[in-house]
């Protein structure tokens, strides 16, 4: 069966509603911050696997809708990347960015090295590396499309990518807390009472970067954001076609992201254009949700059974490296204090999962041991957009040489 663009959009919306219903009913998905489109999409993927096993039939969806939604999501990341925010983060943010970049490099060296040992295509090592673990589901889908469209298509790239990203979400939300508690006990930090935590909250203040426009979401802000997103999509596509003639190439979604970064950091200064962060976030999240619903519900689980054990082995070793890196590097480089412990827990969250997982990790720690304003400033800023830019640049270097 083949579904056109409108049928695909309708199915994606039903998948999102199904995911929302299941997540609200099952505490496990809430605890580990599993996105609603991932839950709904995997249910449909398992159902389609059952149908294929019984009848040998499968369905295909509109690739153009899926790809367009992915480009919208990455464009929104670029449009949110205000470099003034980076400056507000101060020295700690810069140091943490360097730590995160070093970890991405380690993640990919480990993934590619293990893929060679297991006699897999090295690109699977990148998929079981920073593409899915640091990058998440969105980045997994972007690179999977690139790998499958290459002169040597990587069969099963999207299916493996979505599975790896989901595995990372669960493990990223599992290991951060225990690591933090070990460091807290090691440094003899004691759990605070609710009254002590409240007193700390009242006596400390933090300057969190605010949106550049305080206006509510309205017709004008939505139309301006759609216009900017469309400029990112069109320009990014043209640049990707131009870039295709050279050896060092960037996928279309990376060009869309970079165009968004340029727009965000030039238009407000040169032409006094007010950026509407809420509108950008809403449309970007909508694009990501529809893209994930499409990607997950079209998974062909029967194509990845042969790769399941080798990829699982790589992922388990990646988890062990994440723990070791957070314990021996992140904690020490960030200052070996309470903030460093909370940042280490957060690093486990988005080093294996996503920003939401990282925030959940640091909330779990600070709810018991007191606030860490430094961690709550740095983790969302790095996880929201800077890490995606770093990841894209590092991945392109790896892909050029493998």
């Amino acid at each position: 069966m083949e579904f056109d663009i409108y049928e695909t959009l309708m199915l994606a919306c039903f998948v999102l509603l199904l995911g929302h219903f299941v997540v609200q009913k099952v505490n496990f998905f809430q605890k580990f911050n599993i996105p609603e489109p991932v839950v709904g999409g995997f249910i449909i993927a398992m159902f389609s696997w059952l149908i294929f096993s019984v009848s040998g039939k499968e369905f295909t969806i509109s690739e153009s809708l899926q790809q367009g939604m992915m480009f919208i999501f990455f464009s929104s990341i670029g449009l949110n990347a205000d470099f003034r925010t980076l400056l507000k983060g101060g020295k700690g943010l810069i140091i943490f960015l360097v730590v995160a970049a070093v970890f991405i490099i380690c993640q990919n060296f480990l993934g590619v090295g293990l893929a060679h040992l297991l006699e897999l295509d090295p690109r699977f090592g990148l998929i079981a590396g920073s593409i899915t673990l640091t990058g998440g589901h969105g980045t997994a889908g972007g690179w999977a499309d690139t790998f499958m469209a290459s002169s040597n298509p990587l069969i099963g790239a999207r299916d493996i990518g979505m599975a790896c990203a989901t595995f990372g979400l669960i493990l990223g939300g599992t290991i951060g807390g225990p690591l933090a508690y070990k460091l807290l006990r090691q440094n003899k930090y004691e759990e605070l009472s609710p009254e002590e935590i409240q007193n700390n909250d009242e006596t400390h203040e933090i300057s969190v970067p605010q949106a550049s426009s305080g206006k509510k979401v309205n017709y004008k802000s939505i139309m301006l954001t759609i216009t900017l997103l469309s400029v990112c999509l069109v320009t990014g596509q043209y640049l990707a076609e131009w870039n295709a003639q050279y050896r060092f190439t960037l996928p279309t979604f990376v060009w869309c992201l970079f165009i968004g970064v340029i727009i965000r950091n030039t238009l407000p200064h040169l032409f006094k254009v007010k950026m509407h962060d809420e509108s950008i976030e809403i449309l970007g999240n909508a694009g990501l949700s529809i893209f994930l619903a499409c990607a997950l519900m079209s998974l062909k689980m029967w194509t990845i059974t042969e790769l399941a054990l080798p990829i699982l082995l790589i992922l388990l070793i990646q988890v062990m490296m994440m723990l070791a890196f957070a314990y021996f590097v992140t904690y020490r480089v960030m200052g070996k204090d309470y903030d460093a412990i909370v940042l280490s827990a957060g690093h486990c969250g988005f080093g294996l999962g996503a920003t939401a997982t990282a925030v959940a990790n640091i909330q779990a720690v600070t709810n018991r041991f007191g606030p860490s304003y430094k961690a709550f400033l740095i983790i969302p800023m790095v996880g929201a957009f800077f890490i995606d830019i770093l990841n894209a640049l590092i991945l392109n270097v790896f892909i050029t040489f493998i």
Side-chain angles (χ1 to χ4, degrees):
M1 296 179 63
E2 293 185 7
F3 296 97
D4 64 23
I5 189 169
Y6 304 116
E7 293 167 335
T8 301
L9 178 60
M10 180 186 69
L11 283 172
C13 292
F14 280 131
V15 165
L16 293 174
L17 292 173
L18 173 63
H20 176 75
F21 174 78
V22 174
V23 168
Q24 294 302 310
K25 298 294 183 182
V26 181
N27 184 60
F28 172 85
F29 297 128
Q30 297 177 38
K31 180 180 179 181
F32 291 106
N33 301 288
I34 308 300
E36 294 172 359
V38 172
V39 174
F42 261 119
I43 293 173
I44 301 301
M46 298 304 292
F47 181 68
S48 68
W49 190 7
L50 177 63
I51 292 175
F52 179 81
S53 301
V54 173
S55 65
K57 293 182 180 180
E58 59 182 281
F59 70 90
T60 58
I61 62 173
S62 170
E63 291 288 334
S64 57
L65 175 69
Q66 184 175 332
Q67 214 172 48
M69 292 299 107
M70 177 182 67
F71 294 160
I72 285 173
F73 166 62
F74 282 102
S75 297
S76 73
I77 291 175
L79 290 174
N80 265 323
D82 189 345
F83 286 136
R84 290 179 300 178
T85 305
L86 177 64
L87 297 176
K88 289 179 181 179
K91 181 181 175 182
L93 183 92
I94 302 294
I95 295 172
F96 192 76
L97 273 173
V98 173
V99 169
V102 171
F103 179 69
I104 290 173
I105 295 169
C106 294
Q107 226 171 20
N108 289 325
F109 268 122
L110 179 63
V112 171
L114 290 172
H116 278 297
L117 286 175
L118 296 169
E119 299 182 347
L120 299 176
D121 188 308
R123 290 175 293 179
F124 278 123
L126 294 178
I127 290 175
S130 76
I131 286 179
T132 61
L133 300 180
T134 294
H137 289 85
T139 306
W143 283 106
D145 287 347
T146 301
F147 290 157
M148 290 191 293
S150 67
S151 56
N152 179 24
L154 190 63
I155 306 302
R158 181 183 293 127
D159 307 324
I160 289 289
M162 293 301 159
C164 290
T166 304
F167 177 92
L169 270 177
I170 295 171
L171 268 294
T174 304
I175 68 171
L179 171 71
Y181 297 144
K182 176 177 175 54
L183 288 169
L184 288 164
R185 288 195 303 269
Q186 185 177 300
N187 289 275
K188 299 181 180 178
Y189 283 98
E190 294 185 3
E191 189 171 344
L192 302 182
S193 66
E195 293 78 15
E196 289 174 313
I197 292 175
Q198 184 177 1
N199 290 336
N200 280 333
D201 285 333
E202 291 173 352
T203 56
H204 289 78
E205 293 183 357
I206 184 167
S207 177
V208 179
Q210 301 295 319
S212 58
S213 173
K215 295 183 179 179
K216 295 186 297 182
V217 175
N218 53 36
Y219 169 79
K220 184 178 178 182
S221 70
I222 290 289
M223 287 309 301
L224 174 62
T225 303
I226 291 174
T227 302
L228 296 178
L229 288 170
S230 63
V231 170
C232 293
L233 267 60
V234 172
T235 310
Q237 195 163 14
Y238 279 129
L239 288 172
E241 292 172 0
W242 162 79
N243 182 220
Q245 62 186 304
Y246 300 102
R247 186 176 176 218
F248 185 83
T249 59
L250 293 172
T252 305
F253 75 89
V254 178
W255 282 113
C256 293
L257 188 154
F258 284 159
I259 295 301
V261 172
I262 293 169
I263 290 174
R264 178 57 190 250
N265 292 280
T266 55
L267 285 188
H269 307 297
L270 297 179
F271 303 103
K272 306 300 180 184
V273 175
K274 292 184 178 180
M275 307 296 287
H276 296 268
D277 294 315
E278 288 185 23
S279 299
I280 294 169
E281 185 177 353
I282 289 171
L283 292 175
N285 286 340
L288 177 62
S289 295
I290 295 172
F291 161 70
L292 287 180
C294 292
L296 270 296
M297 72 180 178
S298 62
L299 285 181
K300 295 177 174 55
M301 303 297 291
W302 56 91
T303 66
I304 64 174
T305 51
E306 292 183 2
L307 292 167
L309 286 177
I311 295 296
L312 179 60
L313 176 61
I314 295 174
L315 290 173
L316 290 173
I317 296 174
Q318 290 280 21
V319 171
M320 289 187 283
M321 187 185 72
M322 177 75 259
L323 273 170
F325 191 93
Y327 184 85
F328 291 107
V329 179
T330 308
Y331 166 63
R332 284 162 172 75
V333 172
M334 295 310 299
K336 295 196 291 185
D337 54 10
Y338 178 69
D339 289 324
I341 293 173
V342 181
L343 283 166
S344 298
H347 194 188
C348 289
F350 76 73
L352 292 177
T355 305
T357 312
V359 172
N361 282 354
I362 62 179
Q363 282 178 332
V365 178
T366 57
N367 284 345
R368 291 177 58 186
F369 292 89
S372 171
Y373 303 100
K374 185 177 180 180
F376 272 105
L377 177 65
I378 290 176
I379 291 292
M381 288 170 59
V382 173
F385 39 77
F386 292 118
I387 199 66
D388 288 301
I389 298 171
L390 273 175
N391 198 18
L393 292 171
I394 293 169
L395 280 167
N396 272 282
V397 175
F398 271 88
I399 290 167
T400 302
F401 291 102
I402 63 172

